[in-house]
Amino acid sequence: MRQGPLAGRYPAVATMVVLALVPYLALSAALGPITPLIARELGMSLQAMNVTAGMANAGYAVGTVLAVQFAQHLPQRRMLLVYGAVLLIGSVLTAAAVDPAMFIVGHVLQGLCTSLLLIAAVPPLIIGYPAARLRTTAVIMNVCIFGAVALGPVLGGVQANANGWRPLFWAIAGIAAGALVLSAVTFQDTPPNEPGAPVDYIALALATVGCAAAFFGASELLTHPFVDALTCGPLIGGLLLIVILFVHEYTARRPLLCVGSLVSTLPVAGVVAAICAAAASVSAISLTLTTLARHYSPLHLGLLYLPEFGGAVIAAFVFGSVFRTHLLHYFVLVGLLFLTVGIVLMNAAAPPTGPLTSVGSGLVGVGVGSSVVPALFIAGFSLRSTNVQRVFAIIELMRAVAAFMIAPVLLYVAANVGSDPDSGTRTALWICFGISVAGALGAIGLYVAGRVRPPTPSVDGWMSGERPGWDSPPLFARFRQPVERDDSCL
């Protein structure tokens, strides 16, 4: 078997995963203050920049489905090298861009390849090593996904304060190069997962067209009213196609994604908590960043959100201590509570004040770090570990849609509802509050309706791939007789 000199070495593989995920996730949150600089230098309008960011986010969402399909038919570690190489190419294109086309193509490639790397690299890190490593992996995942996003405003503020943007993009390219090198030296050839499985062209088409249309419609809200055909048509049509995607996967005989096997109490509750936490947190940060940009310098503003990173790191380490116990279920609810309180603090004054925003962002960091990845594990423990890649793809697709598409809609609400932007921001933040509360109440309601007492996962049995980490009762088991469900992915 072909392999690199560091194949199987956990520290090297974990570092590769960190370097692969951090660039785009941090960059997506850093673009706000430097967008005008990029637009001015490349001759792009702010609307064009907004559409570019939207299409990059659409690429991230689509990549979650593509990665699963590629893993079925192509050697996954070889594909990891391809994904890393294309990510590096995209990063160099954006950093060296001399015209809009170079920047747009490069940034969309960054979004697409980041999710391809995420789905291809993280599941092997979870199940490819002894159970003793799982705690470290859980912490790494949390810090990578949410720590990187939390650092974005600070990085963007530093660059905007220096009146430049290329150094940040070249740094991102350097990190992508490091990820590619580590992918090569940790290479360990593996066969495709299911070479005989059919290609799910319907799922690929629905995911691609649905995400592209929905994110395009949302990005057009910057300069068009919601009822405009250019906005409303793609947005609603794209969301409808994404819904049809999940219906198709639920009813398909050989689904690409394990939607049918996730339709039971514990995974549905986890998915509800994850998407509500993602939507509320990203939207709240975007709203306060936008409204406070008129009152603070970019660097000062970025530093106000530094506590979010600290909160995410604290949540990651606590998560590493509780994910093997029944406290995992309560940890997600506590995270949603912290998120809700953080949003309330941010919304305690109009416009939000610096101290309240700083404390609120810290609580948001704790909240989102305590809810999204833990909810992923709640869903993942409900299936065999051999299917964690598909579970991860489903949740990341839904998280991307919730986080990156709802935020532009709420920014539109903030700009167009109320007598002034500050009152509109308060209204939009109350919507974020409602989303967070709905996630907590929805998860609790599902547990009650399913007659669930939070179980302790059988991690060793789950890691063996022979059985799920626990048995998840059918939805609403309290009110109906149990029915047979699709266990093909269990």
Side-chain angles (χ1 to χ4, degrees):
M1 180 182 293
R2 300 177 184 176
Q3 61 180 30
L6 298 181
R9 303 289 182 87
Y10 182 86
V13 176
T15 302
M16 180 268 290
V17 171
V18 171
L19 296 184
L21 301 187
V22 164
Y24 178 76
L25 295 175
L27 188 61
S28 63
L31 280 178
I34 60 176
T35 291
L37 302 177
I38 300 171
R40 184 168 60 248
E41 184 170 338
L42 298 181
M44 300 174 66
S45 66
L46 293 180
Q47 176 61 70
M49 285 293 299
N50 209 42
V51 172
T52 300
M55 291 301 96
N57 290 333
Y60 181 92
V62 172
T64 60
V65 180
L66 286 175
V68 177
Q69 185 70 82
F70 289 155
Q72 286 188 333
H73 298 276
L74 300 169
Q76 196 162 186
R77 287 309 301 263
R78 298 184 195 179
M79 292 305 297
L80 203 63
L81 293 174
V82 175
Y83 303 154
V86 178
L87 175 63
L88 178 58
I89 291 171
S91 298
V92 171
L93 283 175
T94 56
V98 295
D99 56 42
M102 284 182 67
F103 185 85
I104 293 169
V105 171
H107 194 47
V108 172
L109 288 177
Q110 285 179 313
L112 173 65
C113 291
T114 296
S115 63
L116 290 171
L117 286 164
L118 180 70
I119 303 304
V122 171
L125 187 66
I126 294 175
I127 62 177
Y129 293 89
R133 292 286 193 183
L134 191 56
R135 179 175 184 266
T136 304
T137 301
V139 174
I140 289 172
M141 284 177 58
N142 231 343
V143 173
C144 276
I145 295 175
F146 301 109
V149 173
L151 280 178
V154 181
L155 298 176
V158 170
Q159 273 293 266
N161 192 65
N163 199 34
W165 59 276
R166 292 188 189 272
L168 175 61
F169 280 80
W170 280 117
I172 295 298
I175 295 173
L180 179 58
V181 170
L182 284 173
S183 295
V185 298
T186 61
F187 179 80
Q188 191 170 13
D189 210 0
T190 54
N193 290 341
E194 296 181 73
V199 176
D200 197 337
Y201 292 107
I202 295 176
L204 297 177
L206 288 171
T208 302
V209 178
C211 291
F215 280 94
F216 175 81
S219 65
E220 286 291 329
L221 286 170
L222 182 67
T223 56
H224 294 79
F226 186 85
V227 295
D228 193 296
L230 190 62
T231 299
C232 187
L235 178 57
I236 296 177
L239 285 176
L240 181 60
L241 289 177
I242 294 171
V243 171
I244 294 173
L245 165 67
F246 284 104
V247 173
H248 165 74
E249 291 300 289
Y250 181 79
T251 58
R253 177 179 296 181
R254 297 188 66 180
L256 179 63
L257 307 175
C258 295
V259 173
S261 296
L262 285 176
V263 181
S264 63
T265 298
L266 294 179
V268 170
V271 169
V272 167
I275 63 175
C276 287
S281 61
V282 172
S283 298
I285 296 299
S286 298
L287 287 164
T288 51
L289 274 169
T290 300
T291 193
L292 287 174
R294 303 189 302 270
H295 305 280
Y296 296 98
S297 68
L299 179 58
H300 188 176
L301 181 58
L303 292 175
L304 290 179
Y305 292 87
L306 191 57
E308 184 187 3
F309 174 74
V313 171
I314 292 171
F317 280 97
V318 176
F319 172 51
S321 300
V322 305
F323 81 97
R324 298 185 66 143
T325 73
H326 73 286
L327 296 177
L328 170 62
H329 308 267
Y330 299 104
F331 186 63
V332 173
L333 292 178
V334 170
L336 286 167
L337 176 62
F338 271 96
L339 176 59
T340 301
V341 174
I343 293 171
V344 170
L345 280 179
M346 289 179 168
N347 205 16
T353 65
L356 287 176
T357 298
S358 187
V359 175
S361 72
L363 294 176
V364 167
V366 172
V368 72
S370 303
S371 51
V372 179
V373 170
L376 164 66
F377 273 78
I378 289 176
F381 283 144
S382 302
L383 278 69
R384 291 197 304 265
S385 61
T386 50
N387 288 297
V388 70
Q389 186 178 55
R390 293 178 174 183
V391 177
F392 201 10
I394 293 170
I395 293 183
E396 274 302 291
L397 171 60
M398 298 182 74
R399 186 188 74 84
V401 171
F404 297 134
M405 198 180 69
I406 291 179
V409 174
L410 291 183
L411 285 170
Y412 175 82
V413 170
N416 294 277
V417 174
S419 57
D420 55 66
D422 289 337
S423 64
T425 299
R426 288 183 66 87
T427 300
L429 284 172
W430 280 122
I431 295 175
C432 295
F433 170 84
I435 293 172
S436 180
V437 171
L441 294 180
I444 292 172
L446 286 167
Y447 273 59
V448 172
R451 292 179 174 173
V452 174
R453 295 186 64 181
T456 298
S458 175
V459 175
D460 291 333
W462 182 77
M463 290 287 290
S464 72
E466 297 177 357
R467 61 182 184 273
W470 49 41
D471 293 324
S472 177
L475 285 172
F476 311 115
R478 182 181 295 274
F479 307 111
R480 63 181 177 87
Q481 293 294 324
V483 296
E484 294 293 327
R485 61 189 176 92
D486 174 19
D487 290 339
S488 61
C489 291
L490 289 178

